[in-house]
Amino acid sequence: MGRWGIVALAALAVMGTACSPGSADDVAVGDETATTTTRTPRITDDSGRPPVAFDPCYDIPDDVMNAAGYDAAKKELADMPMGAYTFLGCAYDKRDYVPGVRRGYGLNILSGNVTLEEELAKNERIATDTTVNGRRALVEVDSTDRNTCTYVLQTDFGLIIFSRLYYTDHAGPAPEGEWCSGMDEFVTTLEPFIDN
């Protein structure tokens, strides 16, 4: 993950607070929130980069995340204005405990106005080009960042990072071949919620 990803994840860890996001422009509908097309991004910057048009805490329906095993009621958001770019982030936990194997997963979804080319320039050594539902993407697996699998999807405004941490239930890392297990299917399921 690039410098901005590490900074954004650190900020998410420090600034994240339990929430059930909502705003004046959102309309509650059952367990879901229907957002209007006029919602203003939570954070903008003065960098001249496009505004971040996809907010992972607002634009991915809770029922979709719950169906994937993540407790959307406990998601956390953080506003991350970085001056030269912006990230909107949302953190989830999935506690599908398998004794002796894993305690579950942690998932961070970051939406930012950094380009995919910038991300590739930072992480060329660990990035593999791919596509998700026809959208240009990268898969990043760094053997020094144990138990982590990252998918980075290109958007009109920049990129979206799906970074999952595998919580092992034993000493040492999980086998590297398991770090991305199921991630392609999961990200493919979420990609249609990205408008651009």
Side-chain angles (χ1 to χ4, degrees), residues 76-123:
E76 299 178 354
L77 63 83
D79 297 335
M80 293 168 270
M82 303 297 184
Y85 48 85
T86 295
F87 277 95
L88 303 179
C90 202
Y92 296 87
D93 272 326
K94 179 179 183 179
R95 297 300 174 162
D96 56 343
Y97 180 62
V98 178
V101 178
R102 70 170 180 268
R103 292 177 288 125
Y105 299 102
L107 176 71
N108 289 316
I109 305 174
L110 302 169
S111 182
N113 54 2
V114 173
T115 68
L116 193 71
E117 289 74 20
E118 289 174 298
E119 175 71 13
L120 183 58
K122 296 288 182 194
N123 287 323

mmCIF file of all heavy atoms in Angstrom, residues 76-123:
data_model
loop_
_atom_site.group_PDB
_atom_site.id
_atom_site.type_symbol
_atom_site.label_atom_id
_atom_site.label_comp_id
_atom_site.label_asym_id
_atom_site.label_seq_id
_atom_site.Cartn_x
_atom_site.Cartn_y
_atom_site.Cartn_z
ATOM 1 N N GLU A 76 -16.994 1.758 11.503
ATOM 2 C CA GLU A 76 -16.390 2.992 11.996
ATOM 3 C C GLU A 76 -15.987 3.852 10.821
ATOM 4 O O GLU A 76 -15.513 3.363 9.807
ATOM 5 C CB GLU A 76 -15.159 2.675 12.851
ATOM 6 C CG GLU A 76 -15.458 1.843 14.073
ATOM 7 C CD GLU A 76 -14.217 1.498 14.867
ATOM 8 O OE1 GLU A 76 -13.105 1.812 14.400
ATOM 9 O OE2 GLU A 76 -14.365 0.905 15.940
ATOM 10 N N LEU A 77 -16.185 5.168 10.952
ATOM 11 C CA LEU A 77 -15.753 6.059 9.888
ATOM 12 C C LEU A 77 -14.750 7.054 10.424
ATOM 13 O O LEU A 77 -14.669 7.286 11.619
ATOM 14 C CB LEU A 77 -16.935 6.763 9.210
ATOM 15 C CG LEU A 77 -17.819 7.719 10.000
ATOM 16 C CD1 LEU A 77 -17.206 9.111 10.065
ATOM 17 C CD2 LEU A 77 -19.170 7.801 9.337
ATOM 18 N N ALA A 78 -13.994 7.629 9.498
ATOM 19 C CA ALA A 78 -13.034 8.666 9.850
ATOM 20 C C ALA A 78 -12.883 9.602 8.664
ATOM 21 O O ALA A 78 -12.801 9.161 7.526
ATOM 22 C CB ALA A 78 -11.683 8.059 10.218
ATOM 23 N N ASP A 79 -12.875 10.898 8.941
ATOM 24 C CA ASP A 79 -12.616 11.893 7.910
ATOM 25 C C ASP A 79 -11.120 12.137 7.874
ATOM 26 O O ASP A 79 -10.513 12.364 8.918
ATOM 27 C CB ASP A 79 -13.343 13.201 8.236
ATOM 28 C CG ASP A 79 -14.852 13.017 8.246
ATOM 29 O OD1 ASP A 79 -15.333 12.088 7.580
ATOM 30 O OD2 ASP A 79 -15.530 13.804 8.916
ATOM 31 N N MET A 80 -10.522 12.072 6.678
ATOM 32 C CA MET A 80 -9.071 12.156 6.576
ATOM 33 C C MET A 80 -8.631 13.186 5.545
ATOM 34 O O MET A 80 -8.196 12.831 4.455
ATOM 35 C CB MET A 80 -8.509 10.772 6.246
ATOM 36 C CG MET A 80 -8.702 9.797 7.374
ATOM 37 S SD MET A 80 -8.381 8.106 6.881
ATOM 38 C CE MET A 80 -10.018 7.640 6.346
ATOM 39 N N PRO A 81 -8.765 14.460 5.855
ATOM 40 C CA PRO A 81 -8.230 15.467 4.941
ATOM 41 C C PRO A 81 -6.711 15.489 5.057
ATOM 42 O O PRO A 81 -6.177 15.651 6.140
ATOM 43 C CB PRO A 81 -8.849 16.766 5.455
ATOM 44 C CG PRO A 81 -9.092 16.513 6.908
ATOM 45 C CD PRO A 81 -9.369 15.044 7.046
ATOM 46 N N MET A 82 -6.015 15.276 3.964
ATOM 47 C CA MET A 82 -4.561 15.220 3.994
ATOM 48 C C MET A 82 -3.926 16.447 3.355
ATOM 49 O O MET A 82 -2.727 16.492 3.179
ATOM 50 C CB MET A 82 -4.077 13.954 3.273
ATOM 51 C CG MET A 82 -4.635 12.678 3.823
ATOM 52 S SD MET A 82 -4.126 12.395 5.520
ATOM 53 C CE MET A 82 -4.845 10.804 5.815
ATOM 54 N N GLY A 83 -4.730 17.421 2.959
ATOM 55 C CA GLY A 83 -4.189 18.613 2.325
ATOM 56 C C GLY A 83 -4.010 18.436 0.839
ATOM 57 O O GLY A 83 -4.679 19.076 0.043
ATOM 58 N N ALA A 84 -3.102 17.537 0.447
ATOM 59 C CA ALA A 84 -2.821 17.304 -0.968
ATOM 60 C C ALA A 84 -3.754 16.261 -1.572
ATOM 61 O O ALA A 84 -3.771 16.069 -2.771
ATOM 62 C CB ALA A 84 -1.370 16.872 -1.154
ATOM 63 N N TYR A 85 -4.524 15.568 -0.752
ATOM 64 C CA TYR A 85 -5.496 14.580 -1.187
ATOM 65 C C TYR A 85 -6.424 14.287 -0.022
ATOM 66 O O TYR A 85 -6.174 14.711 1.107
ATOM 67 C CB TYR A 85 -4.831 13.297 -1.695
ATOM 68 C CG TYR A 85 -3.767 12.760 -0.771
ATOM 69 C CD1 TYR A 85 -4.087 11.945 0.295
ATOM 70 C CD2 TYR A 85 -2.421 13.094 -0.972
ATOM 71 C CE1 TYR A 85 -3.118 11.474 1.157
ATOM 72 C CE2 TYR A 85 -1.448 12.622 -0.117
ATOM 73 C CZ TYR A 85 -1.796 11.813 0.949
ATOM 74 O OH TYR A 85 -0.841 11.347 1.798
ATOM 75 N N THR A 86 -7.508 13.563 -0.289
ATOM 76 C CA THR A 86 -8.496 13.233 0.734
ATOM 77 C C THR A 86 -8.833 11.751 0.663
ATOM 78 O O THR A 86 -8.926 11.185 -0.422
ATOM 79 C CB THR A 86 -9.791 14.044 0.510
ATOM 80 O OG1 THR A 86 -9.499 15.428 0.707
ATOM 81 C CG2 THR A 86 -10.901 13.634 1.463
ATOM 82 N N PHE A 87 -9.024 11.129 1.835
ATOM 83 C CA PHE A 87 -9.554 9.780 1.911
ATOM 84 C C PHE A 87 -10.762 9.771 2.837
ATOM 85 O O PHE A 87 -10.716 10.347 3.920
ATOM 86 C CB PHE A 87 -8.514 8.793 2.457
ATOM 87 C CG PHE A 87 -7.571 8.282 1.424
ATOM 88 C CD1 PHE A 87 -6.333 8.878 1.238
ATOM 89 C CD2 PHE A 87 -7.907 7.193 0.638
ATOM 90 C CE1 PHE A 87 -5.453 8.407 0.284
ATOM 91 C CE2 PHE A 87 -7.031 6.718 -0.327
ATOM 92 C CZ PHE A 87 -5.804 7.327 -0.504
ATOM 93 N N LEU A 88 -11.830 9.134 2.388
ATOM 94 C CA LEU A 88 -12.970 8.826 3.233
ATOM 95 C C LEU A 88 -12.871 7.345 3.534
ATOM 96 O O LEU A 88 -12.731 6.532 2.619
ATOM 97 C CB LEU A 88 -14.288 9.137 2.515
ATOM 98 C CG LEU A 88 -14.467 10.571 2.032
ATOM 99 C CD1 LEU A 88 -15.806 10.721 1.312
ATOM 100 C CD2 LEU A 88 -14.363 11.560 3.170
ATOM 101 N N GLY A 89 -12.919 6.979 4.803
ATOM 102 C CA GLY A 89 -12.699 5.587 5.160
ATOM 103 C C GLY A 89 -13.807 4.998 5.993
ATOM 104 O O GLY A 89 -14.545 5.706 6.674
ATOM 105 N N CYS A 90 -13.901 3.677 5.931
ATOM 106 C CA CYS A 90 -14.862 2.933 6.737
ATOM 107 C C CYS A 90 -14.206 1.612 7.134
ATOM 108 O O CYS A 90 -13.612 0.934 6.290
ATOM 109 C CB CYS A 90 -16.141 2.680 5.939
ATOM 110 S SG CYS A 90 -17.584 2.358 6.971
ATOM 111 N N ALA A 91 -14.306 1.273 8.422
ATOM 112 C CA ALA A 91 -13.695 0.046 8.943
ATOM 113 C C ALA A 91 -14.772 -0.909 9.439
ATOM 114 O O ALA A 91 -15.754 -0.492 10.057
ATOM 115 C CB ALA A 91 -12.735 0.383 10.079
ATOM 116 N N TYR A 92 -14.564 -2.190 9.141
ATOM 117 C CA TYR A 92 -15.498 -3.242 9.525
ATOM 118 C C TYR A 92 -14.723 -4.394 10.157
ATOM 119 O O TYR A 92 -13.550 -4.603 9.863
ATOM 120 C CB TYR A 92 -16.210 -3.814 8.293
ATOM 121 C CG TYR A 92 -17.094 -2.860 7.543
ATOM 122 C CD1 TYR A 92 -16.572 -2.033 6.548
ATOM 123 C CD2 TYR A 92 -18.459 -2.803 7.803
ATOM 124 C CE1 TYR A 92 -17.394 -1.173 5.833
ATOM 125 C CE2 TYR A 92 -19.282 -1.948 7.099
ATOM 126 C CZ TYR A 92 -18.750 -1.138 6.115
ATOM 127 O OH TYR A 92 -19.560 -0.283 5.408
ATOM 128 N N ASP A 93 -15.416 -5.180 10.980
ATOM 129 C CA ASP A 93 -14.882 -6.431 11.510
ATOM 130 C C ASP A 93 -15.793 -7.576 11.121
ATOM 131 O O ASP A 93 -17.014 -7.410 11.036
ATOM 132 C CB ASP A 93 -14.785 -6.394 13.040
ATOM 133 C CG ASP A 93 -13.466 -5.833 13.530
ATOM 134 O OD1 ASP A 93 -12.437 -6.047 12.864
ATOM 135 O OD2 ASP A 93 -13.465 -5.174 14.579
ATOM 136 N N LYS A 94 -15.180 -8.713 10.886
ATOM 137 C CA LYS A 94 -15.920 -9.945 10.602
ATOM 138 C C LYS A 94 -15.361 -11.008 11.541
ATOM 139 O O LYS A 94 -14.225 -11.454 11.385
ATOM 140 C CB LYS A 94 -15.720 -10.373 9.142
ATOM 141 C CG LYS A 94 -16.435 -11.654 8.763
ATOM 142 C CD LYS A 94 -16.205 -11.983 7.291
ATOM 143 C CE LYS A 94 -16.967 -13.226 6.884
ATOM 144 N NZ LYS A 94 -16.751 -13.526 5.456
ATOM 145 N N ARG A 95 -16.135 -11.399 12.526
ATOM 146 C CA ARG A 95 -15.655 -12.347 13.537
ATOM 147 C C ARG A 95 -16.186 -13.743 13.262
ATOM 148 O O ARG A 95 -17.002 -14.266 13.999
ATOM 149 C CB ARG A 95 -16.061 -11.861 14.932
ATOM 150 C CG ARG A 95 -15.442 -10.535 15.323
ATOM 151 C CD ARG A 95 -13.939 -10.634 15.320
ATOM 152 N NE ARG A 95 -13.329 -9.318 15.560
ATOM 153 C CZ ARG A 95 -12.086 -9.161 15.937
ATOM 154 N NH1 ARG A 95 -11.303 -10.203 16.092
ATOM 155 N NH2 ARG A 95 -11.601 -7.960 16.114
ATOM 156 N N ASP A 96 -15.709 -14.343 12.162
ATOM 157 C CA ASP A 96 -16.090 -15.721 11.842
ATOM 158 C C ASP A 96 -14.995 -16.656 12.347
ATOM 159 O O ASP A 96 -14.187 -17.175 11.608
ATOM 160 C CB ASP A 96 -16.369 -15.901 10.349
ATOM 161 C CG ASP A 96 -15.200 -15.494 9.468
ATOM 162 O OD1 ASP A 96 -14.297 -14.778 9.946
ATOM 163 O OD2 ASP A 96 -15.180 -15.901 8.292
ATOM 164 N N TYR A 97 -15.030 -16.871 13.634
ATOM 165 C CA TYR A 97 -13.992 -17.597 14.345
ATOM 166 C C TYR A 97 -13.918 -19.058 13.900
ATOM 167 O O TYR A 97 -14.927 -19.757 13.853
ATOM 168 C CB TYR A 97 -14.289 -17.514 15.841
ATOM 169 C CG TYR A 97 -13.300 -18.213 16.727
ATOM 170 C CD1 TYR A 97 -11.972 -17.810 16.766
ATOM 171 C CD2 TYR A 97 -13.692 -19.259 17.539
ATOM 172 C CE1 TYR A 97 -11.060 -18.439 17.595
ATOM 173 C CE2 TYR A 97 -12.788 -19.895 18.378
ATOM 174 C CZ TYR A 97 -11.481 -19.487 18.394
ATOM 175 O OH TYR A 97 -10.580 -20.118 19.210
ATOM 176 N N VAL A 98 -12.696 -19.484 13.557
ATOM 177 C CA VAL A 98 -12.407 -20.887 13.256
ATOM 178 C C VAL A 98 -11.252 -21.276 14.181
ATOM 179 O O VAL A 98 -10.112 -20.856 13.971
ATOM 180 C CB VAL A 98 -12.006 -21.092 11.769
ATOM 181 C CG1 VAL A 98 -11.678 -22.555 11.523
ATOM 182 C CG2 VAL A 98 -13.106 -20.605 10.839
ATOM 183 N N PRO A 99 -11.536 -22.038 15.264
ATOM 184 C CA PRO A 99 -10.504 -22.349 16.261
ATOM 185 C C PRO A 99 -9.231 -22.919 15.640
ATOM 186 O O PRO A 99 -9.278 -23.803 14.793
ATOM 187 C CB PRO A 99 -11.188 -23.388 17.166
ATOM 188 C CG PRO A 99 -12.647 -23.119 17.005
ATOM 189 C CD PRO A 99 -12.812 -22.676 15.569
ATOM 190 N N GLY A 100 -8.108 -22.353 16.057
ATOM 191 C CA GLY A 100 -6.811 -22.798 15.576
ATOM 192 C C GLY A 100 -6.444 -22.279 14.198
ATOM 193 O O GLY A 100 -5.337 -22.488 13.723
ATOM 194 N N VAL A 101 -7.389 -21.589 13.536
ATOM 195 C CA VAL A 101 -7.143 -21.083 12.179
ATOM 196 C C VAL A 101 -7.201 -19.559 12.158
ATOM 197 O O VAL A 101 -6.219 -18.888 11.899
ATOM 198 C CB VAL A 101 -8.155 -21.672 11.168
ATOM 199 C CG1 VAL A 101 -7.916 -21.107 9.771
ATOM 200 C CG2 VAL A 101 -8.059 -23.192 11.154
ATOM 201 N N ARG A 102 -8.403 -18.996 12.426
ATOM 202 C CA ARG A 102 -8.525 -17.546 12.405
ATOM 203 C C ARG A 102 -9.581 -17.068 13.382
ATOM 204 O O ARG A 102 -10.521 -17.779 13.719
ATOM 205 C CB ARG A 102 -8.845 -17.035 11.007
ATOM 206 C CG ARG A 102 -10.231 -17.363 10.524
ATOM 207 C CD ARG A 102 -10.567 -16.622 9.221
ATOM 208 N NE ARG A 102 -11.903 -16.972 8.826
ATOM 209 C CZ ARG A 102 -12.234 -17.959 8.011
ATOM 210 N NH1 ARG A 102 -11.290 -18.697 7.464
ATOM 211 N NH2 ARG A 102 -13.487 -18.215 7.731
ATOM 212 N N ARG A 103 -9.396 -15.833 13.816
ATOM 213 C CA ARG A 103 -10.367 -15.164 14.676
ATOM 214 C C ARG A 103 -11.319 -14.308 13.856
ATOM 215 O O ARG A 103 -12.307 -13.813 14.365
ATOM 216 C CB ARG A 103 -9.655 -14.291 15.710
ATOM 217 C CG ARG A 103 -8.870 -15.096 16.736
ATOM 218 C CD ARG A 103 -8.121 -14.194 17.708
ATOM 219 N NE ARG A 103 -6.990 -13.568 17.028
ATOM 220 C CZ ARG A 103 -6.770 -12.265 16.977
ATOM 221 N NH1 ARG A 103 -7.592 -11.410 17.541
ATOM 222 N NH2 ARG A 103 -5.709 -11.786 16.358
ATOM 223 N N GLY A 104 -11.023 -14.116 12.591
ATOM 224 C CA GLY A 104 -11.869 -13.307 11.719
ATOM 225 C C GLY A 104 -11.029 -12.408 10.841
ATOM 226 O O GLY A 104 -9.857 -12.692 10.577
ATOM 227 N N TYR A 105 -11.652 -11.321 10.384
ATOM 228 C CA TYR A 105 -10.985 -10.383 9.483
ATOM 229 C C TYR A 105 -11.288 -8.949 9.912
ATOM 230 O O TYR A 105 -12.353 -8.659 10.451
ATOM 231 C CB TYR A 105 -11.502 -10.534 8.044
ATOM 232 C CG TYR A 105 -11.272 -11.883 7.422
ATOM 233 C CD1 TYR A 105 -12.303 -12.814 7.325
ATOM 234 C CD2 TYR A 105 -10.029 -12.229 6.901
ATOM 235 C CE1 TYR A 105 -12.103 -14.044 6.736
ATOM 236 C CE2 TYR A 105 -9.820 -13.462 6.311
ATOM 237 C CZ TYR A 105 -10.860 -14.370 6.232
ATOM 238 O OH TYR A 105 -10.656 -15.587 5.645
ATOM 239 N N GLY A 106 -10.369 -8.062 9.624
ATOM 240 C CA GLY A 106 -10.607 -6.630 9.710
ATOM 241 C C GLY A 106 -10.581 -6.090 8.289
ATOM 242 O O GLY A 106 -9.763 -6.515 7.470
ATOM 243 N N LEU A 107 -11.487 -5.196 7.977
ATOM 244 C CA LEU A 107 -11.582 -4.649 6.625
ATOM 245 C C LEU A 107 -11.615 -3.139 6.689
ATOM 246 O O LEU A 107 -12.410 -2.558 7.434
ATOM 247 C CB LEU A 107 -12.854 -5.161 5.937
ATOM 248 C CG LEU A 107 -13.140 -4.586 4.550
ATOM 249 C CD1 LEU A 107 -12.148 -5.134 3.516
ATOM 250 C CD2 LEU A 107 -14.581 -4.896 4.136
ATOM 251 N N ASN A 108 -10.740 -2.493 5.913
ATOM 252 C CA ASN A 108 -10.774 -1.040 5.739
ATOM 253 C C ASN A 108 -11.081 -0.760 4.279
ATOM 254 O O ASN A 108 -10.452 -1.322 3.383
ATOM 255 C CB ASN A 108 -9.428 -0.399 6.102
ATOM 256 C CG ASN A 108 -9.168 -0.434 7.587
ATOM 257 O OD1 ASN A 108 -10.047 -0.140 8.380
ATOM 258 N ND2 ASN A 108 -7.959 -0.808 7.963
ATOM 259 N N ILE A 109 -12.075 0.098 4.054
ATOM 260 C CA ILE A 109 -12.392 0.551 2.703
ATOM 261 C C ILE A 109 -12.112 2.045 2.667
ATOM 262 O O ILE A 109 -12.666 2.811 3.457
ATOM 263 C CB ILE A 109 -13.859 0.265 2.333
ATOM 264 C CG1 ILE A 109 -14.180 -1.222 2.519
ATOM 265 C CG2 ILE A 109 -14.120 0.705 0.891
ATOM 266 C CD1 ILE A 109 -15.639 -1.558 2.317
ATOM 267 N N LEU A 110 -11.204 2.441 1.794
ATOM 268 C CA LEU A 110 -10.774 3.833 1.677
ATOM 269 C C LEU A 110 -11.068 4.337 0.276
ATOM 270 O O LEU A 110 -10.726 3.687 -0.701
ATOM 271 C CB LEU A 110 -9.274 3.960 1.952
ATOM 272 C CG LEU A 110 -8.800 3.469 3.315
ATOM 273 C CD1 LEU A 110 -7.284 3.399 3.344
ATOM 274 C CD2 LEU A 110 -9.317 4.377 4.397
ATOM 275 N N SER A 111 -11.700 5.481 0.196
ATOM 276 C CA SER A 111 -12.028 6.094 -1.079
ATOM 277 C C SER A 111 -11.266 7.409 -1.155
ATOM 278 O O SER A 111 -11.419 8.272 -0.284
ATOM 279 C CB SER A 111 -13.548 6.333 -1.115
ATOM 280 O OG SER A 111 -13.949 6.885 -2.325
ATOM 281 N N GLY A 112 -10.409 7.554 -2.169
ATOM 282 C CA GLY A 112 -9.552 8.735 -2.210
ATOM 283 C C GLY A 112 -9.361 9.307 -3.592
ATOM 284 O O GLY A 112 -9.591 8.647 -4.601
ATOM 285 N N ASN A 113 -8.918 10.556 -3.615
ATOM 286 C CA ASN A 113 -8.681 11.228 -4.893
ATOM 287 C C ASN A 113 -7.210 11.186 -5.295
ATOM 288 O O ASN A 113 -6.654 12.139 -5.817
ATOM 289 C CB ASN A 113 -9.230 12.659 -4.885
ATOM 290 C CG ASN A 113 -8.705 13.500 -3.738
ATOM 291 O OD1 ASN A 113 -7.895 13.056 -2.932
ATOM 292 N ND2 ASN A 113 -9.187 14.733 -3.651
ATOM 293 N N VAL A 114 -6.596 10.034 -5.072
ATOM 294 C CA VAL A 114 -5.260 9.703 -5.557
ATOM 295 C C VAL A 114 -5.480 8.795 -6.768
ATOM 296 O O VAL A 114 -6.382 7.966 -6.765
ATOM 297 C CB VAL A 114 -4.462 8.967 -4.461
ATOM 298 C CG1 VAL A 114 -3.142 8.463 -4.985
ATOM 299 C CG2 VAL A 114 -4.259 9.875 -3.258
ATOM 300 N N THR A 115 -4.678 8.928 -7.811
ATOM 301 C CA THR A 115 -4.908 8.127 -9.015
ATOM 302 C C THR A 115 -4.346 6.714 -8.876
ATOM 303 O O THR A 115 -3.439 6.458 -8.078
ATOM 304 C CB THR A 115 -4.276 8.785 -10.257
ATOM 305 O OG1 THR A 115 -2.847 8.738 -10.114
ATOM 306 C CG2 THR A 115 -4.747 10.220 -10.436
ATOM 307 N N LEU A 116 -4.885 5.823 -9.669
ATOM 308 C CA LEU A 116 -4.372 4.459 -9.693
ATOM 309 C C LEU A 116 -2.921 4.448 -10.167
ATOM 310 O O LEU A 116 -2.112 3.646 -9.692
ATOM 311 C CB LEU A 116 -5.236 3.576 -10.590
ATOM 312 C CG LEU A 116 -5.006 2.071 -10.459
ATOM 313 C CD1 LEU A 116 -5.544 1.570 -9.116
ATOM 314 C CD2 LEU A 116 -5.673 1.312 -11.583
ATOM 315 N N GLU A 117 -2.568 5.343 -11.076
ATOM 316 C CA GLU A 117 -1.180 5.432 -11.551
ATOM 317 C C GLU A 117 -0.243 5.822 -10.410
ATOM 318 O O GLU A 117 0.880 5.307 -10.314
ATOM 319 C CB GLU A 117 -1.070 6.431 -12.702
ATOM 320 C CG GLU A 117 -1.691 5.956 -14.005
ATOM 321 C CD GLU A 117 -3.222 5.975 -14.011
ATOM 322 O OE1 GLU A 117 -3.826 6.698 -13.181
ATOM 323 O OE2 GLU A 117 -3.812 5.259 -14.837
ATOM 324 N N GLU A 118 -0.685 6.734 -9.539
ATOM 325 C CA GLU A 118 0.134 7.108 -8.380
ATOM 326 C C GLU A 118 0.304 5.919 -7.445
ATOM 327 O O GLU A 118 1.400 5.672 -6.921
ATOM 328 C CB GLU A 118 -0.508 8.281 -7.630
ATOM 329 C CG GLU A 118 -0.422 9.597 -8.374
ATOM 330 C CD GLU A 118 -1.200 10.698 -7.674
ATOM 331 O OE1 GLU A 118 -2.440 10.559 -7.543
ATOM 332 O OE2 GLU A 118 -0.573 11.688 -7.259
ATOM 333 N N GLU A 119 -0.773 5.190 -7.216
ATOM 334 C CA GLU A 119 -0.704 4.000 -6.363
ATOM 335 C C GLU A 119 0.246 2.964 -6.966
ATOM 336 O O GLU A 119 1.068 2.382 -6.263
ATOM 337 C CB GLU A 119 -2.105 3.409 -6.180
ATOM 338 C CG GLU A 119 -2.146 2.117 -5.405
ATOM 339 C CD GLU A 119 -1.854 2.258 -3.927
ATOM 340 O OE1 GLU A 119 -1.835 3.383 -3.388
ATOM 341 O OE2 GLU A 119 -1.644 1.210 -3.281
ATOM 342 N N LEU A 120 0.152 2.742 -8.260
ATOM 343 C CA LEU A 120 1.016 1.768 -8.921
ATOM 344 C C LEU A 120 2.480 2.208 -8.850
ATOM 345 O O LEU A 120 3.362 1.380 -8.611
ATOM 346 C CB LEU A 120 0.580 1.580 -10.373
ATOM 347 C CG LEU A 120 1.357 0.531 -11.177
ATOM 348 C CD1 LEU A 120 1.281 -0.838 -10.509
ATOM 349 C CD2 LEU A 120 0.832 0.458 -12.603
ATOM 350 N N ALA A 121 2.731 3.496 -9.017
ATOM 351 C CA ALA A 121 4.112 3.990 -8.923
ATOM 352 C C ALA A 121 4.698 3.738 -7.533
ATOM 353 O O ALA A 121 5.880 3.430 -7.399
ATOM 354 C CB ALA A 121 4.160 5.479 -9.254
ATOM 355 N N LYS A 122 3.880 3.840 -6.491
ATOM 356 C CA LYS A 122 4.351 3.614 -5.118
ATOM 357 C C LYS A 122 4.544 2.130 -4.815
ATOM 358 O O LYS A 122 5.405 1.761 -4.029
ATOM 359 C CB LYS A 122 3.350 4.194 -4.108
ATOM 360 C CG LYS A 122 3.190 5.679 -4.179
ATOM 361 C CD LYS A 122 4.405 6.386 -3.639
ATOM 362 C CE LYS A 122 4.202 7.886 -3.683
ATOM 363 N NZ LYS A 122 5.432 8.622 -3.485
ATOM 364 N N ASN A 123 3.696 1.284 -5.418
ATOM 365 C CA ASN A 123 3.678 -0.128 -5.041
ATOM 366 C C ASN A 123 3.890 -1.089 -6.194
ATOM 367 O O ASN A 123 3.409 -2.225 -6.153
ATOM 368 C CB ASN A 123 2.336 -0.447 -4.359
ATOM 369 C CG ASN A 123 2.277 0.131 -2.970
ATOM 370 O OD1 ASN A 123 3.264 0.147 -2.261
ATOM 371 N ND2 ASN A 123 1.112 0.615 -2.601
#
